[in-house]
Amino acid sequence: MANADDYNHLRKMTVELFLTLSHFCEQLGVKGHAEHLKEEADLLNKDDLRVLFCGEFKRGKSTLVNAFLDDRILPMKIAPCTGVVTEVRFGEIPNATIYPINGEEYPIPFSELSKHLQIRDTPSADRVIIHFPSDFCRQGISLIDSPGLNEDWRRTEASLQEITRSDAVVMVLSCEMALSLSELDFIETQLGETTNGLFFVWNRYDSIWNNPEEIQALKERSDHYLAPYINRPKNPAQVHYLSAREGLVGAIKNDSDRKNNSGQPKFEQYLTEYLYQNRAPNKLLLPHRKLKKIIAYLKEVILPQYTQISQMKLQSLIRKQNTLTQSDIDQHRSTELSEATEEATEDLLNDLILLLDDFLAVISQRSFEASKDLRLPENAPRQERQDLILRFYRNWLRQELLRFAKQQLAPKIQEGYLELSNDLQLIQQRFYTHTSLTKSPQDSKDLAPSELLKLSIYDETWFKRLPTFISTAIAMLTLGSSSSPVAISLLGIGALRAWLTGTHLDEQDRRQLAEALSIGLRSQREEMIDLLRDHINPPCLRLQADLNRENKALYEDLRTLVETCISHKEKITEQLEAEDDTNEEITTFLEKKKKFHHRPPIQLQRMLEDYEQALERISNLLIKASASFTP
Ligand SMILES: Nc1nc2c(ncn2[C@@H]2O[C@H](COP(=O)(O)OP(=O)(O)OP(=O)(O)O)[C@@H](O)[C@H]2O)c(=O)[nH]1
Ligand SMILES: [Mg+2]
């Protein structure tokens, strides 16, 4: 049976293979990829499984993280408390580092942790990373505590950004405040479609665990509202009831009964099981694919090049070196790549704006039609009727926006992205022909960052951000705190007859509401365009940067290979010249000449085959391990 250690062992083996290959490249004299491989090893080494704890403020997120750490590390309070995303990773020696929003990271004394993590007026740090010798984290798992939702939008945004980066999201709820409307909204919009693990934790179970009726009521509520997530066929969510405080106190007081009764260790076990069964194998798949690609590159591109170069005469090698160093091809090409990217993203954005304008043009009519279905309860208090209307419009709008994003924006974005990647590859191919690299245009396809091509540019964050952003604007108007046209119009409609009597809004009211909604939405046009720009720019730039890096490495490989061969040949030539008058046997002379190939390619070929086999062994072990995991 496989366990967490087995995975970590496989990870270590994968890291070592990266390093071995890096060393191989260095020895061979191809330095471009040597560096890159070292970086990959480093990244994989740090690539822990990530568990995010999120939820509204005061639900006990920090207390729960502390319970996992068996110690009071993160500050916990009765007032809203955590002010910055805090990542706890394993480290033998406890330490903490602040990553400010602007500026360089700097360490802080562990004793001052609380001062830095607590809420201040404006967030000044992007995140804090803590290293701590926790047994739980030792398995290769990082715990991420986040600021409470809805306390401050900047902090909420910071928490939201963590969702897509994590392997499991733990939504901390409180048994004492069973599911607020905003919690439900958050779950629906932010967590509904996550492909990472989803865990609902009912914390503060100690406050009701002696009261069977309350437990019954809570479980019913939980089952009712969380059913869509618990019952989904793919990646079903889990629900746990526990007391973080009891778990923590039990650990601190060394009272194992108390710890176990808290329910927290049991949750810990389920979480670990999920992570290692579902997430750990995936984490190694991409690095394995990268290794496979790099071995193929060394075998199919570098070795033939090596053979060719090492057989060239010294003079021709020096000429080749000159053309390579003199040329500003590298510089030229990277400018070309960035210009093409800029142009393509600008075109794409313009296409998206056209779609957006079409969407905004019809929203009023569509919402008018949709509101035919809006039914109001009879004899309900005014507030309730008002809430109902707002909820109706908010949900409707959210659905419309999601549909718009998925059916119209996403395909357009995908299309633009593919177009860009084709353009960039063409530039890349021209570069190969120019530098007379032995890499043929067909080869360049293998080297293109295929993972990136598959990358879904419309990653989920954005879909979720847009409706939330709109719904927040609409929600705000119930508080009367917004001066947006929607707010004013809707509040004006507060006097509508329909709100006081009847089960339907009359046609004029519906038209007025539809118009208000449309005006409000149109007033957000510029911000929506900004969101779209923010959305398409990073992946396109990433694609460009990746191709650029790939080319640079290739160019560097060729340059250093030529350099190594030249210096080797010069050395041998010197030796031969020095020994020239000793009148050697012709056979010894030929022996020495052979050294021109400082390592016979056949031997290199074998080494690469060995690495290939090692990779296959690790991949097979990975498949076996994931099939037989036990926590
Ligand atoms: N009774 C009881 N109290 C708890 C439990 N967990 C946390 N608390 C208390 O709830 C309060 C808030 O806990 P925190 O861990 O700071 O909550 P948080 O969710 O991190 O809060 P923010 O960082 O402000 O979002 C503290 O006073 C804790 O002692 C629990 O399981 N039972
Ligand atoms: Mg907290």
Side-chain angles (χ1 to χ4, degrees):
M1 285 287 172
N3 59 28
D5 285 347
D6 291 330
Y7 275 114
N8 289 314
H9 184 59
L10 288 175
R11 172 158 77 152
K12 228 168 115 197
M13 279 161 71
T14 312
V15 168
E16 271 161 21
L17 196 51
F18 270 115
L19 291 175
T20 311
L21 276 168
S22 165
H23 187 67
F24 177 88
C25 288
E26 249 169 34
Q27 295 284 303
L28 198 64
V30 291
K31 304 228 169 84
H33 273 85
E35 229 10 73
H36 175 58
L37 283 162
K38 244 188 239 152
E39 281 164 20
E40 289 286 344
D42 199 41
L43 281 179
L44 182 58
N45 228 350
K46 286 192 201 138
D47 192 21
D48 275 358
L49 291 157
R50 299 170 68 84
V51 182
L52 172 68
F53 294 79
C54 65
E56 289 201 1
F57 51 89
K58 298 291 71 77
R59 299 305 195 245
K61 299 176 291 295
S62 304
T63 312
L64 185 54
V65 174
N66 284 338
F68 272 80
L69 301 174
D70 290 332
D71 207 341
R72 278 192 194 93
I73 302 297
L74 307 179
M76 313 162 284
K77 262 199 185 168
I78 295 176
C81 177
T82 308
V84 56
V85 171
T86 312
E87 202 172 313
V88 188
R89 313 174 63 98
F90 177 77
E92 291 293 352
I93 299 156
N95 64 41
T97 309
I98 302 237
Y99 291 80
I101 289 172
N102 301 309
E104 289 272 293
E105 70 209 57
Y106 58 93
I108 45 159
F110 221 64
S111 52
E112 287 177 19
L113 211 51
S114 160
K115 190 174 95 190
H116 290 279
L117 296 187
Q118 290 192 34
I119 288 179
R120 285 186 240 160
D121 294 345
T122 43
S124 55
D126 178 41
R127 74 182 51 236
V128 174
I129 296 185
I130 294 175
H131 286 96
F132 188 73
S134 132
D135 284 336
F136 185 76
C137 298
R138 192 190 293 275
Q139 309 172 86
I141 303 176
S142 295
L143 302 170
I144 297 124
D145 188 18
S146 63
L149 302 164
N150 298 338
E151 180 270 329
D152 174 287
W153 68 266
R154 281 159 303 202
R155 283 189 271 269
T156 300
E157 190 62 36
S159 304
L160 295 184
Q161 279 171 12
E162 288 301 315
I163 295 175
T164 37
R165 289 187 64 203
S166 55
D167 293 287
V169 179
V170 179
M171 170 84 187
V172 183
L173 305 163
S174 166
C175 293
E176 289 171 303
M177 289 166 267
L179 281 171
S180 65
L181 193 64
S182 53
E183 275 174 325
L184 281 171
D185 268 356
F186 174 79
I187 294 169
E188 193 182 316
T189 54
Q190 307 297 332
L191 304 180
E193 288 174 46
T194 45
T195 47
N196 30 25
L198 182 54
F199 293 82
F200 294 105
V201 161
W202 287 103
N203 188 32
R204 295 168 173 261
Y205 196 41
D206 55 297
S207 62
I208 61 163
W209 63 23
N210 291 325
N211 190 333
E213 276 156 35
E214 271 199 59
I215 293 179
Q216 172 74 8
L218 178 73
K219 291 202 165 164
E220 274 168 19
R221 190 167 165 83
S222 173
D223 288 348
H224 175 72
Y225 283 104
L226 303 181
Y229 311 99
I230 302 163
N231 298 329
R232 59 184 177 193
K234 252 199 212 160
N235 201 20
Q238 293 183 22
V239 181
H240 294 268
Y241 297 82
L242 56 85
S243 165
R245 197 186 60 184
E246 288 296 299
L248 177 60
V249 175
I252 290 169
K253 296 205 161 154
N254 239 335
D255 182 341
S256 56
D257 284 347
R258 193 161 173 182
K259 174 100 182 162
N260 286 332
N261 291 337
S262 74
Q264 178 254 322
K266 187 131 197 98
F267 166 56
E268 198 170 301
Q269 197 186 338
Y270 276 101
L271 181 64
T272 315
E273 186 174 302
Y274 172 82
L275 288 173
Y276 279 101
Q277 245 165 26
N278 299 282
R279 307 293 298 192
N282 283 342
K283 284 226 155 183
L284 288 179
L285 285 182
L286 188 60
H288 283 183
R289 235 184 288 152
K290 280 188 184 158
L291 278 169
K292 201 167 166 183
K293 218 160 75 177
I294 206 95
I295 294 175
Y297 164 72
L298 289 169
K299 265 172 75 177
E300 287 152 30
V301 180
I302 289 297
L303 274 196
Q305 207 152 55
Y306 174 88
T307 317
Q308 195 195 352
I309 287 174
S310 66
Q311 282 163 357
M312 273 161 88
K313 293 224 166 65
L314 186 57
Q315 284 314 314
S316 0
L317 268 179
I318 291 174
R319 267 202 306 278
K320 183 154 183 107
Q321 184 185 35
N322 283 340
T323 54
L324 280 173
T325 40
Q326 277 165 12
S327 74
D328 55 351
I329 297 169
D330 196 39
Q331 179 58 37
H332 183 71
R333 183 195 34 78
S334 89
T335 320
E336 219 183 319
L337 282 179
S338 60
E339 277 170 4
T341 310
E342 220 168 87
E343 205 178 299
T345 39
E346 208 43 49
D347 285 351
L348 178 56
L349 184 65
N350 286 334
D351 287 350
L352 296 177
I353 293 175
L354 287 180
L355 287 177
L356 178 64
D357 286 340
D358 286 350
F359 173 77
L360 291 176
V362 295
I363 199 75
S364 166
Q365 185 57 30
R366 294 184 61 122
S367 98
F368 172 68
E369 279 158 20
S371 61
K372 265 194 235 137
D373 302 334
L374 173 59
R375 247 162 255 274
L376 296 173
E378 256 171 301
N379 303 325
R382 182 196 152 106
Q383 185 60 47
E384 193 182 310
R385 296 163 70 83
Q386 181 173 325
D387 281 355
L388 214 133
I389 295 173
L390 281 172
R391 214 176 144 75
F392 173 85
Y393 277 98
R394 193 169 50 171
N395 284 340
W396 177 81
L397 185 57
R398 182 182 294 150
Q399 293 305 328
E400 281 302 291
L401 281 165
L402 271 175
R403 211 183 358 251
F404 169 59
K406 275 193 184 163
Q407 291 176 0
Q408 307 216 23
L409 295 180
K412 180 55 78 197
I413 291 174
Q414 188 77 350
E415 188 187 309
Y417 184 75
L418 279 177
E419 242 164 60
L420 170 67
S421 79
N422 285 338
D423 286 356
L424 296 186
Q425 286 198 30
L426 278 180
I427 297 177
Q428 201 189 18
Q429 279 170 20
R430 277 210 302 278
F431 165 69
Y432 296 141
T433 333
H434 244 70
T435 42
S436 64
L437 289 173
T438 49
K439 212 165 140 41
S440 70
Q442 288 98 306
D443 291 337
S444 77
K445 276 221 179 77
D446 311 333
L447 259 196
S450 54
E451 292 78 38
L452 267 173
L453 287 176
K454 274 188 256 143
L455 173 140
S456 52
I457 188 164
Y458 46 95
D459 63 86
E460 290 170 6
T461 0
W462 185 75
F463 279 148
K464 288 166 192 160
R465 212 173 133 193
L466 193 56
T468 310
F469 159 75
I470 302 295
S471 67
T472 315
I474 297 182
M476 263 164 62
L477 59 87
T478 44
L479 306 171
S481 62
S482 168
S483 57
S484 82
V486 193
I488 293 162
S489 318
L490 276 184
L491 285 175
I493 292 165
L496 284 173
R497 281 157 292 124
W499 289 27
L500 304 172
T501 52
T503 55
H504 284 84
L505 287 175
D506 72 24
E507 196 169 313
Q508 196 199 343
D509 299 333
R510 290 198 291 119
R511 206 171 282 289
Q512 228 172 324
L513 275 167
E515 192 48 29
L517 196 71
S518 158
I519 293 171
L521 209 52
R522 285 205 302 271
S523 77
Q524 311 283 351
R525 182 179 176 271
E526 291 311 309
E527 278 168 67
M528 286 177 164
I529 293 174
D530 284 346
L531 278 176
L532 283 167
R533 190 181 288 111
D534 287 355
H535 181 69
I536 59 172
N537 272 343
C540 290
L541 288 176
R542 242 185 349 252
L543 176 69
Q544 178 214 329
D546 261 55
L547 283 175
N548 203 12
R549 202 189 50 207
E550 196 75 60
N551 282 348
K552 247 197 177 104
L554 193 67
Y555 181 72
E556 192 65 10
D557 280 351
L558 181 66
R559 218 176 47 72
T560 52
L561 186 59
V562 171
E563 221 165 65
T564 319
C565 281
I566 289 178
S567 90
H568 184 73
K569 274 175 200 251
E570 278 174 348
K571 241 198 322 228
I572 300 277
T573 314
E574 261 170 39
Q575 271 177 21
L576 287 176
E577 273 167 7
E579 294 164 7
D580 210 19
D581 41 24
T582 57
N583 206 0
E584 279 178 81
E585 290 286 324
I586 188 83
T587 44
T588 349
F589 179 77
L590 285 178
E591 259 319 294
K592 279 185 183 156
K593 254 201 120 162
K594 267 198 198 150
K595 283 193 199 158
F596 266 51
H597 314 284
H598 50 203
R599 223 196 261 247
I602 189 76
Q603 192 186 331
L604 296 172
Q605 183 89 26
R606 260 188 222 131
M607 282 169 84
L608 282 174
E609 275 157 15
D610 283 349
Y611 300 147
E612 217 169 15
Q613 277 168 16
L615 176 63
E616 212 175 293
R617 271 200 304 279
I618 304 177
S619 299
N620 285 339
L621 285 172
L622 182 68
I623 295 169
K624 247 194 236 153
S626 41
S628 68
F629 181 83
T630 48

